[in-house]
Amino acid sequence: MSDALTGPADASAGLVVHGADPVDRSAPASVRQALVAGGVPARLAAQDPTLWGPAAEATARTRLGWLDTHRRSVELLPQLAELTAELGDLDHVVVAGMGGSSLAAEVVTRALGRPLTVLDTTDAGQVRRALTDRLDRTVVVLAGKSGRTVETDSHWRVYRQAFLDSGLTAAEAGRHFVVVTDPGSPLEAVAAELGAVTVPADPRVGGRYAALTAFGLVPAALAGVAVDELLEQAEALAASLGRDADNPGLALGAALGAAATGGRDKVALVPDGTGFDGLGDWIEQLLAESTGKAGLGLLPVVLESPTAPGGAGPDVLTVSYGGSLAPGAVPGGGRAPDVAVNGPLGAQFLTWEYATAIAGVTLGVNPFDQPAAAESGEQAERFLAAAAPAGPPSSTEGAIEVYAPAGGPADLAGALRQLVDGIDAGGYLAVLAYLDRIGDADVAGLRALLAGLTARPVTFGWGPRYLHATGQYHKGGPQVGSFLQLTGTVGDDLPVPGKPYSLGRLQEAQAAGDRRALARRGRPVLRLHLTDRSAGVAQLLDAARQL
């Protein structure tokens, strides 16, 4: 057991943070003491927008509602109960939304064993599979704050067409949609066009902090989750957030800030086997998009299990997470992490949100904006407009086309080895897969294989999903990343009704746009294109094993 977990723990309302004090003491000065001396816990609980400096004040003033949104969300419960009863025959729940608009609902339903189909992709195969799954019993929750997200716009268009093609009238098709969005957003106008029910989101809460708003609650409630329990768990924790002691959010936030300012700016997120395994994906988006800017930030590295490689190193803070521990149980699931966070899911959401805001204070960054997040999308729009074909591959081996950086090895093994060996000191490798995360799921095993070859952290993200999470960190955080982008041939494309492009073309443009955004920063990017997805995934995994 690590020394980090032998000290006192911060606990409140069933949520316990072990090991935060030793991490804090490893910094040149106590971060927690400085935060307390500045009155930060009480000021944050009171929603003080000045905590992150004058430049962030205007944004923070409109984005601190997450601190008590769980109380306002109680008012949604009667509407959710009525809606669930009204749509009782529509028992296949699909949530179409990106980043914070869908991640929390996915975590909640996965943790509690309730079925939910998540569409946060432009992969034609993945979308087509969802369209052909119990269409007559499907309710689609269209989720987005701005209403301008191209993925969600595509989803409602293809679903509406599928409902009409099945013989439904426009009015009948409208019953199969529920819209969650900010009041006055373009998506609200789409809801009116569809004749769909609209559940308003909390306009004072940004997407990645919106777990306990309608974004997290509506899909979960429709899928059969008793969401009132999540709100009760958050409320039980909320009283601790203004305190200087026995405040788990402060303890965790100070540990994150102390680690980052002390040279440990990578956070390995380890599920400890006690539940909430998917919570790491939600934390990943929250940390990366909130802190990855101005050349600073915390890079989350989501591990598959306590024994998975890639969670150690002098610049890595290891944090395990899970449900409440049995009396006498050792935190960490055998990993011996630096910090362990255990407790109810509703309290986990609020604790991590608070801790991320605290880390932003210590780092001196605005945790509520995302200045680089739109860049890849803007580049994608240019590719869609130009329709420029890609250049020829450096080489073709079996089912894989290799697009290697200029001057590097052109063969698959050589290009992979150069990428892995060339990771910067203090850097990381990100695997970015523009593929079907269900049909091509095996490719996610590449993260652990590559992590076993290098002492540096390796992350894995599905495109374009990661653009709404770690994509901000890749471009706004420390410029030390190396990137392996995976694309695949589209076998059965899907047109987007009312638009001059298909999902396959959109996916291709999004991948190209992000490659350009990364290359503009001088970062190494290796693209591998799978001409046959199944064969290509198997070939790629085999090549990684042989490096």
Side-chain angles (χ1 to χ4, degrees), residues 260-287:
T261 55
R264 288 197 281 175
D265 60 354
K266 321 295 190 302
V267 181
L269 298 169
V270 185
D272 67 7
T274 60
F276 315 153
D277 285 4
L279 183 61
D281 292 336
W282 178 83
I283 299 171
E284 175 187 53
Q285 190 226 5
L286 179 68
L287 279 180

Side-chain angles (χ1 to χ4, degrees), residues 143-237:
K145 282 192 69 65
S146 71
R148 298 184 179 90
T149 307
V150 66
E151 298 92 344
T152 306
D153 178 77
S154 300
H155 295 151
W156 76 257
R157 291 173 182 276
V158 298
Y159 257 103
R160 180 180 62 173
Q161 190 62 52
F163 288 132
L164 295 176
D165 290 346
S166 74
L168 297 183
T169 66
E172 290 169 336
R175 179 177 178 266
H176 289 254
F177 290 98
V178 174
V179 173
V180 179
T181 191
D182 280 5
S185 83
L187 196 53
E188 191 174 56
V190 170
E193 177 184 342
L194 293 171
V197 172
T198 300
V199 181
D202 190 333
R204 294 191 65 244
V205 181
R208 57 188 176 274
Y209 291 83
L212 297 173
T213 72
F215 287 114
L217 302 181
V218 172
L222 291 176
V225 173
V227 295
D228 57 318
E229 296 179 9
L230 296 171
L231 303 179
E232 291 167 2
Q233 292 161 1
E235 175 61 22
L237 178 92

Side-chain angles (χ1 to χ4, degrees), residues 336-488:
D338 298 302
V339 179
V341 185
N342 289 90
L345 188 53
Q348 288 268 7
F349 285 138
L350 186 53
T351 296
W352 280 98
E353 289 167 352
Y354 185 97
T356 300
I358 288 286
V361 173
T362 301
L363 284 168
V365 298
N366 178 359
F368 308 115
D369 67 350
Q370 47 280 334
E375 182 180 348
S376 293
E378 293 166 356
Q379 295 290 348
E381 290 179 1
R382 294 188 180 97
F383 277 97
L384 277 174
S394 308
S395 67
T396 300
E397 298 182 29
I400 300 178
E401 293 177 347
V402 180
Y403 293 82
D411 65 295
L412 176 60
L416 282 172
R417 173 53 70 184
Q418 182 185 57
L419 186 69
V420 171
D421 290 346
I423 301 172
D424 289 351
Y428 64 94
L429 172 63
V431 182
L432 312 173
Y434 284 82
L435 299 168
D436 180 341
R437 74 177 175 114
I438 298 172
D440 303 320
D442 287 350
V443 79
L446 191 61
R447 193 212 68 81
L449 288 173
L450 295 178
L453 297 174
T454 176
R456 306 305 311 137
V458 179
T459 68
F460 183 94
W462 295 102
R465 166 180 165 139
Y466 76 84
L467 293 175
H468 302 263
T470 53
Q472 165 65 42
Y473 183 96
H474 295 161
K475 292 174 279 291
Q479 291 305 293
V480 293
S482 298
F483 301 91
L484 173 60
Q485 189 187 83
L486 309 176
T487 58

Side-chain angles (χ1 to χ4, degrees), residues 78-163:
Q79 182 183 6
L80 294 183
E82 182 180 344
L83 186 61
T84 301
E86 180 184 336
L87 301 176
D89 58 318
L90 303 182
D91 56 2
H92 177 216
V93 183
V94 175
V95 58
M98 304 302 295
S101 297
S102 61
L103 278 169
E106 183 174 19
V107 171
V108 171
T109 52
R110 179 177 171 186
L112 300 179
R114 302 302 304 171
L116 180 71
T117 296
V118 178
L119 279 187
D120 52 4
T121 183
T122 48
D123 187 84
Q126 190 173 333
V127 174
R128 192 178 289 280
R129 184 184 303 104
L131 286 171
T132 57
D133 182 12
R134 296 165 288 168
L135 184 66
D136 61 324
R137 292 159 45 197
T138 293
V139 57
V140 182
V141 181
L142 299 171
K145 282 192 69 65
S146 71
R148 298 184 179 90
T149 307
V150 66
E151 298 92 344
T152 306
D153 178 77
S154 300
H155 295 151
W156 76 257
R157 291 173 182 276
V158 298
Y159 257 103
R160 180 180 62 173
Q161 190 62 52
F163 288 132

Side-chain angles (χ1 to χ4, degrees), residues 513-530:
D514 199 43
R515 285 199 306 275
R516 175 176 287 182
L518 295 170
R520 287 175 60 184
R521 288 165 170 78
R523 303 315 306 157
V525 181
L526 169 62
R527 177 195 176 200
L528 302 178
H529 182 72
L530 313 183

